[in-house]
Structures are given as C-alpha cells and as structure tokens.
Amino acid sequence: PPPPSASPSPPPPSASPSPPPPSTSPSPPPPSPPPPSPPPPSSSPSPPPPSLPDPCSVDRTLMAPIDFLSSNVLYNNLNGVGPTTTDPTQILVSNVGSTTPTSGATMGMRIVSDSVYQAHKPNRNGPNAKGFFVLNIRGEVDTILNFTFVDDNSQDPVTVPNFVISIYDFDRGCIGQSAGLRNKTCDGGSFDLGEVVMAKSSTADPAQGFDAYITSGGTSEVEIGAVTGGWTSFSATLAGTGADNPGTVQGLTEDQLNKAVSLYYSNTSSFQLRVRLFPPPAFNATLTDTGRNILLSGVVLDFPGCPPPIPPSASPS
C-alpha cells in the first residue's frame, strides 16, 4: 500500500508585530534665562546751586571790618605741617578786625583743618604784606578748613553779625604751556587744572552757611556748581597767568574781578571752606610736588552791576 501522505507542516505561527516603541515624551524646553538685572540706578543729577537773595540787596555798610594787613600771627602750624612745627596744630591770628563797623573790641581768627590737609609751601600760610590771608594747598588734596572768629583776649568764639569773605584769583592751568600750576605742563597741550573752593549756603548749613554770593555777573570767569553734601562749588572757567594775579585786596582790575567771588555771612562765629586740587584724568603727572595759594580777604568788592556802598553818615559834632 502507498505510504501515508505526510500531513503538511503547519505554517509557522505568524509573528506578532513588535509593539511600537513607547513614544518618548518631548524633552521639556530649557528653562528661560533669568531676566536681566535692572541697570544700577542712575545717580541723581547734582542739585542746582541754592537760590539766594540778590547780593546787591545786602547792606554792605554793615559788614564787619576785617583787615589781615594789620593782624598778628600767634600760631602757624595747620595740621602740624608748619612752618612753625612747635606751635599747636592750627593757625591763629589776632587783631583781624572788630565784630561790627562801630565796635572797638578786636577779634582774631582761628583756622583748623581735617587730617587730610597738606601744604606745598607752608611758609606761605597766613596774612601777607598785600593784605591777603593765604592758604597754601598741596596738589591732589581735598580738605575741609574750619574758620572761627575769636575774642582777642579770651580766644573764645564770638558771633559776628555780618561779614564777607572774598576769594580771589580763580584760574586754571595751561593749554599748551605751563600756567596756573607753574611747573607742570598740560598733557597733550590741551588739558588744564586748577583749584575748586566749596562752601555751604545757609540753606544747607543754617548754623554757619553763607547767605549770598556775588560774582561779576555776565563777564565772570567763576563757574558755580553744586556738589554732594550741600556744597556750592566755585571754580575757574579759563586759564590764568601770573600777570593777572591781584596785587592788593582792593582796586582790582575788571579781569581780576572776573576771577573773584564774595560770600556774605550773618550771625555766626564760624564758617567752612572745602578746597580741592586734583589733576584731570588725562594729566599724566603727580601733583604732590606742587600746590596753589588760596587768597582770601574780608573786603567788600565792588563788582560791576552793584552800586557802590554808601558809607554811613558822620555823626554831627
């Protein structure tokens, strides 16, 4: 008999399709960068100089007569820099004037400084033969000077009802030549430098601030500004030379008046001046080997635009 027919092999089981790979969740987006830091607050602009009364309205005949020409130096050793290093660390002068135009009592003046003060030529400090009170400041110094009127006998502070402090010869250094600070030349022949004298108004410092200041007005070469801390700054706008330096405290030329300022004070025994002398950034020199003279007086200057003061009438005999 024929062999039995072989049953066909069953087909291999159909492979189940592989399940699709699990869908991957999309990666989360990277975190957003933090917002930029806000810019630092811009520094507030300097406030304008204080609004003050019309200086021509000040009765200049009431000013205390202050005359450094007849004063006497008792101590001269501001901050211990000399010239008389054995003196107390101050400048003290007697017989600078009287508290009012009609008072016969004499008063002196004491000057002390902060610890920053340095002089280039300390022997120039004090009253000179031209009637100025001179303060010599070394380069690269920013110092505060305190002035006090004192009784000539007791040396206690005395209140002065009205007085004026005049500051002379604001100028700047050179443009292409040595001037202002005489033994230095300007970097690149174009930059200049000079002193800045600052004082506080009675608005900023009611106890010892000035009531008003006066310059020669539209022709003045003194720039008025405001400095943080309540200081009003006075500085030169033009270069100067030795030829325009004042020779006396009065009788100034128009050019010399243009480089001056007067500060009027009332009912105080003291006042402060801050003096700064720095080179500008482009000045490639150190200024510790040079300095400036700050010239002061107690004289009422006859600036143009203000009528001359009317002297008090003589008492009938």
Side-chain angles (χ1 to χ4, degrees), residues 51-218:
S51 176
L52 298 169
D54 175 13
C56 291
S57 68
V58 176
D59 189 345
R60 291 173 284 168
T61 64
L62 298 178
M63 299 298 123
I66 297 174
D67 181 7
F68 294 116
L69 193 60
S70 58
S71 63
N72 304 305
V73 178
L74 304 181
Y75 303 141
N76 197 349
N77 187 27
L78 191 60
N79 198 34
V81 303
T84 310
T85 55
T86 54
D87 283 348
T89 55
Q90 59 182 269
I91 297 175
L92 178 63
V93 291
S94 64
N95 196 37
V96 302
S98 54
T99 55
T100 70
T102 57
S103 170
T106 60
M107 63 181 181
M109 189 169 70
R110 175 186 291 114
I111 302 98
V112 296
S113 73
D114 57 18
S115 61
V116 177
Y117 171 79
Q118 291 292 321
H120 177 233
K121 294 182 177 179
N123 61 305
R124 294 188 178 182
N125 281 347
N128 70 8
K130 297 178 180 179
F132 295 103
F133 195 96
V134 182
L135 287 164
N136 185 263
I137 310 292
R138 197 190 73 181
E140 298 183 342
V141 163
D142 184 343
T143 186
I144 295 176
L145 307 169
N146 297 278
F147 299 75
T148 304
F149 294 107
V150 296
D151 181 271
D152 259 351
N153 295 316
S154 67
Q155 296 183 2
D156 292 330
V158 293
T159 297
V160 183
N162 297 282
F163 65 95
V164 62
I165 295 297
S166 293
I167 310 170
Y168 300 74
D169 196 32
F170 283 93
D171 60 16
R172 304 182 76 160
C174 51
I175 296 180
Q177 61 180 357
S178 178
L181 297 179
R182 302 286 181 245
N183 63 340
K184 294 293 180 184
T185 57
C186 296
D187 179 53
S190 61
F191 233 104
D192 62 358
L193 62 154
E195 73 273 16
V196 180
V197 179
M198 291 166 270
K200 290 186 178 182
S201 72
S202 54
T203 303
D205 185 353
Q208 55 180 2
F210 61 84
D211 297 321
Y213 64 81
I214 183 171
T215 67
S216 57

Side-chain angles (χ1 to χ4, degrees), residues 196-310:
V196 180
V197 179
M198 291 166 270
K200 290 186 178 182
S201 72
S202 54
T203 303
D205 185 353
Q208 55 180 2
F210 61 84
D211 297 321
Y213 64 81
I214 183 171
T215 67
S216 57
T219 60
S220 175
E221 298 173 14
V222 179
E223 181 177 20
I224 316 298
V227 178
T228 301
W231 298 98
T232 300
S233 65
F234 304 92
S235 58
T237 59
L238 296 176
T241 68
D244 58 25
N245 290 349
T248 60
V249 295
Q250 290 180 306
L252 303 186
T253 66
E254 180 181 355
D255 187 39
Q256 291 165 343
L257 281 173
N258 287 340
K259 299 174 183 295
V261 63
S262 289
L263 308 177
Y264 291 103
Y265 293 84
S266 63
N267 298 315
T268 185
S269 61
S270 59
F271 63 96
Q272 287 185 327
L273 294 179
R274 176 181 171 190
V275 182
R276 181 169 64 192
L277 178 58
F278 282 123
F283 197 87
N284 295 328
T286 57
L287 297 181
T288 55
D289 59 345
T290 190
R292 290 283 291 167
N293 292 324
I294 309 301
L295 306 180
L296 309 175
S297 85
V299 170
V300 174
L301 297 179
D302 292 326
F303 286 105
C306 287
I310 301 172

